[in-house]
Amino acid sequence: MVQLRSYILVALFIVLIAAEATIVKGDANGNGNGNKGNNNGNGNEGDDNGNRNKGNNNGNDNKGNGNGNDNEGNNNGNDNKGNNNGNDNKGDGNGNKNGGKEKNDDFDEMEPLPSGQERASCKAKGGCNMKTLVCPAQCPEKKPKNNKRKKGCHVDCSSKCEVTCKWRKPNCNGYGSLCYDPRFVGGDGVMFYFHGAKGGNFAIVSDDNLQINAHFIGTRPQGRTRDFTWVQALSVMFDTHNLVIAAKKVSQWNTNIDALIVKWDGEAINIPNDGEAEWRTNEEEREVIVERTDSFNSLRVRVAGLVEMDIKVRPIGKKENQVHKYQLPDDDAFAHLETQFKFKKLSDLVEGVLGKTYRPDYVSQVKIGVPMPMMGGEDKYETPSLSSPICTACRFKGQSASGIATI
């Protein structure tokens, strides 16, 4: 009996040794060189941390989806060929050597077709999600470079799920436009005029995280009871920053001379005419891009997650002056802005001359059918200065940058 028990103990000992060997060679956790499991270790071909990790997370020479040097995946790392942050990043996010590709909330850039037609993979919610849209042959690029005046490819990942060729200039009859003296088309599609006052500043949009003010210039001919007015400057306030776009005062208009002023937090910035023809910055994870859409006097502005604007500077011509009887002086062309806004995320309680027309429950108070339907509210929306977020109805909760009182 004693001998039988000895045989049983020896057999159990052999089984335990075999089981331990199986565990060591198996798929569980284990640190060490040459570990083929799923977690940590040098030479790890599994899914987590380790040098020369061919899995999905952290490690040097990581070919997976996470962090690491020479990372071919989707997130952070040097020489990152994925979609997010990293030096020498060839994807869509922030980093040096980004290749000029713009990070977009609605789609990810894809490699163009051999024909040069750009492609986009939609990531907006809805039926267009994950679909690939290809730019038409007539406008293969979203941002034409050789001739900025050409139509660009517009990618729409909404329920329309389409690509179209569009001029990259403000459409004064389109939604969210602000043109002429000054005439608005609201988010509800209704056209109206808001005259403001010569030398006044008014909140065009005021929301929790965005405020856009406009500075009005104007003149009052003899015998009139109100000013003729135009928008000469816009101040875009968000987070702790302030972007100002303005038209210079010019005595004689010349289409080949730039009349644009652009300031970032009070400092003048230069928008180049060659190459990408843009200025950009990444502040607090929010990208801001100011891009020329013509050689002179035309811009596209994008503040990531908040607003896009197409802006053009134009003068009051002699014929226009005569027809409308503005009686403008000979030494001032009254250069002003034509703008079209596209907002990303406005709250249901957004305010402002234009902003309130984007409320879901908004009902226009202007008289439809009259030649010049008027919108009041000067008392509610007037601000002390172009860069001030304060007005009776203003909602902006951020802080504008200092030192931006004048143009």
Side-chain angles (χ1 to χ4, degrees):
M1 180 64 70
V2 174
Q3 187 175 8
L4 178 61
R5 287 179 179 175
S6 298
Y7 289 148
I8 293 173
L9 289 173
V10 171
L12 289 172
F13 181 72
I14 293 172
V15 169
L16 288 173
I17 291 174
E20 184 177 356
T22 301
I23 290 172
V24 170
K25 295 181 180 180
D27 296 328
N29 300 331
N31 299 324
N33 297 326
N35 189 317
K36 296 184 180 179
N38 295 328
N39 289 323
N40 301 323
N42 296 325
N44 189 317
E45 296 181 6
D47 296 327
D48 288 317
N49 300 322
N51 295 325
R52 295 198 60 81
N53 188 316
K54 297 181 182 178
N56 296 326
N57 288 325
N58 301 322
N60 295 325
D61 195 19
N62 187 317
K63 297 183 180 178
N65 297 326
N67 301 323
N69 297 325
D70 196 19
N71 187 315
E72 295 182 7
N74 296 327
N75 290 324
N76 300 323
N78 296 325
D79 196 18
N80 187 316
K81 297 180 183 178
N83 296 328
N84 289 325
N85 300 324
N87 296 325
D88 198 17
N89 188 316
K90 297 182 182 179
D92 298 327
N94 303 325
N96 299 325
K97 295 187 181 180
N98 191 293
K101 290 188 177 180
E102 177 181 332
K103 186 175 180 181
N104 194 288
D105 300 325
D106 298 328
F107 58 83
D108 287 329
E109 301 280 0
M110 299 176 66
E111 286 296 321
L113 295 176
S115 62
Q117 293 168 255
E118 295 182 357
R119 300 187 298 163
S121 175
C122 289
K123 57 185 180 181
K125 295 179 180 179
C128 203
N129 184 256
M130 300 302 292
K131 288 189 177 180
T132 298
L133 300 182
V134 180
C135 291
Q138 295 84 353
C139 56
E141 298 174 308
K142 290 184 286 295
K143 178 181 172 181
K145 295 180 179 63
N146 294 332
N147 183 354
K148 299 183 186 69
R149 296 185 182 184
K150 289 169 57 178
K151 287 185 178 181
C153 172
H154 176 74
V155 177
D156 189 344
C157 288
S158 68
S159 57
K160 291 184 178 180
C161 200
E162 64 181 10
V163 285
T164 51
C165 296
K166 288 189 175 183
W167 297 112
R168 302 192 309 146
K169 302 289 176 66
N171 175 6
C172 289
N173 295 314
Y175 289 88
S177 59
L178 166 51
C179 302
Y180 312 135
D181 57 343
R183 192 195 77 172
F184 293 74
V185 179
D188 57 350
V190 176
M191 183 269 287
F192 63 90
Y193 287 82
F194 176 84
H195 288 303
K198 173 185 176 181
N201 301 282
F202 299 90
I204 302 303
V205 176
S206 185
D207 209 359
D208 294 341
N209 56 1
L210 174 68
Q211 177 137 338
I212 302 175
N213 290 351
H215 177 72
F216 285 46
I217 56 174
T219 183
R220 182 178 296 189
Q222 188 174 6
R224 288 188 59 85
T225 57
R226 67 166 182 83
D227 299 328
F228 285 117
T229 53
W230 298 269
V231 171
Q232 179 261 340
L234 294 170
S235 173
V236 184
M237 291 167 271
F238 58 94
D239 303 330
T240 59
H241 300 289
N242 193 316
L243 177 67
V244 173
I245 303 98
K248 296 177 183 178
K249 182 178 179 179
V250 293
S251 57
Q252 299 295 324
W253 181 256
N254 187 330
T255 56
N256 295 319
I257 297 178
D258 216 15
L260 271 166
I261 301 172
V262 183
K263 289 187 177 183
W264 172 252
D265 289 347
E267 298 293 328
I269 59 175
N270 177 56
I271 316 300
N273 286 89
D274 54 358
E276 293 293 328
E278 67 178 28
W279 173 93
R280 67 168 64 202
T281 184
N282 290 285
E283 295 291 339
E284 299 169 4
E285 300 182 356
R286 192 187 299 281
E287 188 172 46
V288 180
I289 303 172
V290 183
E291 169 204 344
R292 288 193 184 273
T293 51
D294 203 341
S295 299
F296 305 101
N297 300 312
S298 186
L299 296 174
R300 172 166 288 182
V301 177
R302 180 175 183 268
V303 180
L306 292 177
V307 64
E308 292 180 6
M309 301 183 292
D310 285 312
I311 301 173
K312 178 182 177 181
V313 179
R314 66 176 296 265
I316 301 298
K318 291 183 178 180
K319 184 176 180 180
E320 187 178 358
N321 184 25
Q322 293 171 354
V323 170
H324 293 281
K325 298 181 173 60
Y326 292 139
Q327 300 180 30
L328 299 183
D330 294 333
D331 62 346
D332 192 344
F334 273 73
H336 61 282
L337 306 181
E338 290 183 346
T339 309
Q340 186 175 19
F341 302 90
K342 180 182 178 182
F343 300 103
K344 293 293 183 179
K345 294 179 182 177
L346 295 177
S347 74
D348 291 347
L349 298 176
V350 60
E351 269 291 357
V353 178
L354 177 65
K356 66 181 178 181
T357 67
Y358 284 83
R359 288 188 176 194
D361 59 349
Y362 177 72
V363 178
S364 179
Q365 300 298 310
V366 301
K367 294 182 179 180
I368 307 298
V370 299
M372 293 186 66
M374 300 295 298
M375 173 82 77
E378 282 85 352
D379 56 334
K380 292 172 59 178
Y381 301 122
E382 187 167 15
T383 64
S385 68
L386 177 64
S387 59
S388 172
I390 300 171
C391 73
T392 303
C394 286
R395 297 178 49 82
F396 183 60
K397 292 182 172 58
Q399 296 180 350
S400 61
S402 61
I404 316 176
T406 60
I407 297 299

